Amino acid sequence: MKILVCSDVHLGRVPAIVTHTSLDGVTVWESVVQTAISQQVDALVLAGDVIDQDDAWYEAYGPLVKNINELNKLGIQVLAVAGNHDAKVFPKLVHDCPHVRLLGLGGNWEFCDLNGVRFLGWSFPSSTYMQDPFTTFNQNMLDTSDSILGILHGDVDGQQGSSRYAPVPSHRLQALSKPYWVLGHIHKQRMDNNWMYCGSPFALDSSEKGPHGVWLIENEENGWKAPQFIQLCPYRLEDCEVALD
């Protein structure tokens, strides 16, 4: 199965890049969708924060629904979890777009099986969540011979008791050897043995340095192939030291 994964699109937010004035609040989302179509994937996975804020809903709703309907017509399944930014608006979306598979609504772990892959995920029930989502994880969801792709939005190794964004100890992910986990929340790419932060598809402000894009993941008989990065962002931000002499 061929899967495109991304997170932190923040639809409705204009990337603050003064040299690219043509960018608007839907540019990033449309770039993701067109990549899913051109790569002829079976599924598009969204690991949270697809929409920037509740007050961006009016601006984001039309392009979001339009492109999801286009993907549906092409046979591309959209699967998602809600992040802290879109915890309130995602349930509204799935009400109007029933072909979107939102996993873990209400902060309850959930899975679905599709074309030999089990997708499992957890969604923010509100804009903040200070507990480790894995305290309610049911190990029975791993009882399958299919490949497993976990989808989660959260703060890996965030400080327990102070992080407001679902603090997840990294050992929780590492202890579950079978799933490969794709995560949202941090806008910079980060990878470990069996999990990765996707990073935002476009750098949204000057603090988001390095490459930005989406990831192509394919399963094979013994699990998952190494994720393949696809560059989408037409610019790259880096620190540069200049000698003034």
Side-chain angles (χ1 to χ4, degrees), residues 30-178:
E30 289 181 343
S31 181
V32 170
V33 170
Q34 291 307 311
T35 303
I37 294 171
S38 65
Q39 291 290 329
Q40 299 181 318
V41 299
D42 300 295
L44 171 62
V45 167
L46 306 170
D49 283 3
V50 177
I51 297 170
D52 189 52
Q53 297 286 1
D54 290 353
D55 55 11
W57 179 243
Y58 180 79
E59 175 188 358
Y61 184 79
L64 184 63
V65 172
K66 172 180 175 292
N67 283 294
I68 285 176
N69 286 335
E70 181 180 359
L71 292 171
N72 182 59
K73 290 178 181 177
L74 295 172
I76 299 174
Q77 175 69 59
V78 178
L79 303 104
V81 298
N84 53 291
H85 277 265
D86 45 25
K88 293 182 180 179
V89 296
F90 249 37
K92 299 177 185 177
L93 172 67
V94 297
H95 179 269
D96 294 336
C97 294
H99 40 267
V100 175
R101 191 69 169 90
L102 179 63
L103 295 173
L105 187 63
N108 299 303
W109 285 95
E110 189 178 7
F111 71 85
C112 73
D113 297 327
L114 180 67
N115 297 346
V117 174
R118 172 161 292 184
F119 297 87
L120 59 88
W122 176 93
S123 288
F124 269 71
S126 60
S127 59
T128 60
Y129 192 84
M130 299 186 68
Q131 300 174 358
D132 174 8
F134 279 97
T135 57
T136 60
F137 184 79
N138 186 346
Q139 295 277 346
N140 291 334
M141 291 190 294
L142 304 178
D143 187 15
T144 177
S145 58
D146 291 344
S147 300
I148 303 178
L149 188 69
I151 313 166
L152 185 63
H153 195 93
D155 185 6
V156 174
D157 289 330
Q159 186 65 40
Q160 300 289 322
S162 61
S163 173
R164 298 185 298 162
Y165 305 116
V168 178
S170 56
H171 70 79
R172 294 279 206 184
L173 301 168
Q174 295 161 356
L176 301 172
S177 59
K178 186 173 182 179

Side-chain angles (χ1 to χ4, degrees), residues 150 156-157 168-175 179-183 189-198 227:
V156 174
D157 289 330
V168 178
S170 56
H171 70 79
R172 294 279 206 184
L173 301 168
Q174 295 161 356
Y180 189 80
W181 294 91
V182 294
L183 297 103
Q189 299 174 16
R190 180 183 170 190
M191 303 189 75
D192 210 308
N193 290 333
N194 68 326
W195 60 269
M196 73 172 182
Y197 270 120
C198 302

